[in-house]
Amino acid sequence: MRTSNTLRRAALALLTTGTLALAPTALADTGHHGSHGQAWRGAWAASPQSATAPFGPNWSQQGFDDHTVRQVVRVTAAGTRARIELTNRYGTGPLRITGATVARTAGGSAVEPGSVRTLRFGHRPSVTIPAGETLLSDAVTLPVEAFEQLTVTLYLADPTGPATFHSFSSATSYRAAGDHRADLSGAAFRETSSSWYFLSGVEVTGGRDTARRDGIVTFGDSITDGVGSTTDTDNRYPDELAERLAATGRSRAVLNHGIAGNEVVNDTTWAGEKAVARFRKDVLTEKGVSTVILLEGINDIGGSGPTFPGGPTPEVSVNQLIEGHRTLIRQAHAKGLKVVGATLTPIKGSFYDTPVNEAKREAFNTWVRTSGAYDAVVDFDRAVADPADPDRILPAYDSGDHLHPGDAGYTAMAKALDLDEL
């Protein structure tokens, strides 16, 4: 999430372009502390991506025009007040949010009566976000508990152009023509998508846990993003980790900054900026976190092959991948974050399965286990491997493509983490 300096720059840009007649200080409370001196912390997150559609149609490339978009997220931290983060990081022009609400989810695209809160931005119901910028709404009083679902509804009256979004949400988003931001029923929302649009964070403050700064960021590619998990069930490994922590009496916020297809050292046309570049934007600006889990590199290894969506990316050596991880570790340590390194899970039988790729995976995993570069290590490779064929995912854990775990596999990954080392 962006810092207060970034948001002050955004406010100045809005003033100088004449898009919003507000003083810079009139934008949402953007610091680490709320207006009552309470600390804000991340409760949900998704890493932004530029508009793309590598696996089929979504709404990102065309964008929106007189549409209401309703998006459901599950928070992993409790609070008495909440605010949302909206991003136009990859927009081609200013993004006007005509209006927005947040409410408790009643199921599907419906919301609970009495829970709808109108969101404001610098005390105004509408806001324009300059291209490349991100901002926070004003806070609303809305007590939420960990693992509660919230519905964020955006009304976009004007053409948005290509939308900054998060491609693989493993959740259903909803769209309706016209203004339905305050609807309780989901009847108007007849279109669906499996992506999130413009929404990149939810923060909370207040309550008994307001001073806690022990959130966990999970950072990586599709296996962190949850590809292969069942849609609308919150069975990604970060979700399972948050539930396991809560079940053992050690509740902590867990924020998911995975992007399917992402690489450590290569930018891609469809899977986000390379990890060593986006880490500062996505992870190091999060509030209230103390630990990051790094699971990334299999797309660097497999992405140079002909099956990679969008075309092959430059070949990456094991040494280049290691240096990329060392860069991420240095960035995290400079911000005082603990770093847990993860081994890469099996690829046998998948479209990445070649002798060269397997040799690279094994060499990198050996480095993860033995280098001492991380503060702690989790062996996801062994956690999901078939004991009878360790280069392959156990069939019970396989989503079916021999690369991505299914729900049971993600549960096994969460169980492999030593909670005392997080």
Side-chain angles (χ1 to χ4, degrees):
M1 296 183 183
R2 296 298 182 96
T3 64
S4 56
N5 287 336
T6 300
L7 290 163
R8 281 192 287 270
R9 289 197 298 271
L12 181 59
L14 291 169
L15 277 168
T16 57
T17 58
T19 57
L20 186 63
L22 290 173
T25 55
L27 279 176
D29 174 9
T30 59
H32 283 244
H33 294 272
S35 58
H36 302 294
Q38 296 175 317
W40 288 96
R41 57 192 186 125
W44 174 87
S47 289
Q49 300 171 246
S50 59
T52 185
F55 299 109
N58 59 54
W59 302 329
S60 68
Q61 292 175 311
Q62 184 176 355
F64 305 92
D65 183 3
D66 191 27
H67 286 117
T68 302
V69 182
R70 185 159 274 185
Q71 305 177 82
V72 178
V73 302
R74 187 178 76 157
V75 297
T76 57
T80 58
R81 302 167 75 228
R83 62 187 184 183
I84 68 166
E85 183 186 77
L86 298 175
T87 182
N88 192 27
R89 184 188 294 181
Y90 301 108
T92 57
L95 168 66
R96 181 159 181 79
I97 307 295
T98 309
T101 61
V102 62
R104 293 192 185 89
T105 307
S109 54
V111 299
E112 289 187 6
S115 73
V116 179
R117 304 288 188 271
T118 297
L119 292 168
R120 293 182 176 272
F121 306 87
H123 308 293
R124 297 196 175 206
S126 300
V127 70
T128 298
I129 309 173
E133 296 297 338
T134 295
L135 61 76
L136 289 159
S137 73
D138 298 346
V140 294
T141 299
L142 181 65
V144 296
E145 296 296 330
F147 308 114
E148 188 168 23
Q149 287 188 322
L150 298 180
T151 296
V152 176
T153 305
L154 307 177
Y155 176 48
L156 306 159
D158 305 317
T160 65
T164 298
F165 83 134
H166 183 86
S167 180
F168 283 91
S169 63
S170 297
T172 302
S173 297
Y174 305 88
R175 183 169 73 172
D179 182 2
H180 296 275
R181 72 188 102 164
D183 286 17
L184 299 180
S185 164
F189 294 88
R190 298 177 182 177
E191 297 179 88
T192 61
S193 172
S194 295
S195 302
W196 287 306
Y197 301 87
F198 304 123
L199 181 63
S200 55
V202 176
E203 295 182 0
V204 296
T205 191
R208 62 185 179 278
D209 297 329
T210 192
R212 294 179 62 173
R213 321 299 295 161
D214 60 354
I216 299 167
V217 174
T218 58
F219 184 82
D221 49 41
S222 57
I223 296 178
T224 297
D225 213 2
V227 173
S229 65
T230 302
T231 301
D232 293 326
T233 60
D234 295 305
N235 282 331
R236 313 162 193 87
Y237 105 74
D239 300 314
E240 298 290 346
L241 172 60
E243 291 175 14
R244 183 177 170 222
L245 284 161
T248 56
R250 292 188 268 188
S251 296
R252 295 168 70 173
V254 179
L255 307 178
N256 190 333
H257 276 293
I259 296 180
N262 198 235
E263 298 189 20
V264 176
V265 300
N266 286 321
D267 289 324
T268 64
T269 59
W270 63 276
E273 295 178 68
K274 58 190 175 184
V276 293
R278 74 179 183 92
F279 191 79
R280 293 183 184 278
K281 306 172 189 177
D282 292 345
V283 177
L284 300 187
T285 50
E286 283 289 4
K287 300 178 185 69
V289 301
S290 62
T291 302
V292 58
I293 302 170
L294 300 182
L295 170 61
E296 186 154 3
I298 202 62
N299 295 313
D300 296 74
I301 291 172
S304 61
T307 61
F308 197 65
T313 51
E315 186 170 356
V316 175
S317 69
V318 174
N319 285 339
Q320 286 175 302
L321 183 55
I322 288 170
E323 184 51 40
H325 269 249
R326 289 193 183 276
T327 298
L328 296 174
I329 294 166
R330 286 194 295 269
Q331 291 180 13
H333 283 168
K335 289 285 290 186
L337 297 181
K338 185 176 187 177
V339 184
V340 179
T343 54
L344 303 178
T345 53
I347 60 173
K348 187 174 180 179
S350 76
F351 53 79
Y352 281 169
D353 183 11
T354 70
V356 170
N357 288 349
E358 178 59 21
K360 287 183 177 181
R361 187 184 76 90
E362 291 180 1
F364 178 74
N365 281 351
T366 297
W367 177 81
V368 171
R369 294 180 181 116
T370 63
S371 66
Y374 307 97
D375 300 299
V377 170
V378 57
D379 205 330
F380 285 150
D381 175 30
R382 291 173 179 162
V384 300
D386 185 344
D389 190 358
D391 295 336
R392 184 185 297 271
I393 295 179
L394 184 72
Y397 293 161
D398 192 348
S399 68
D401 65 3
H402 311 300
L403 179 65
H404 299 98
D407 294 345
Y410 286 128
T411 298
M413 289 173 63
K415 287 181 178 178
L417 284 151
D418 185 339
L419 301 185
D420 292 330
E421 293 185 337
L422 296 179

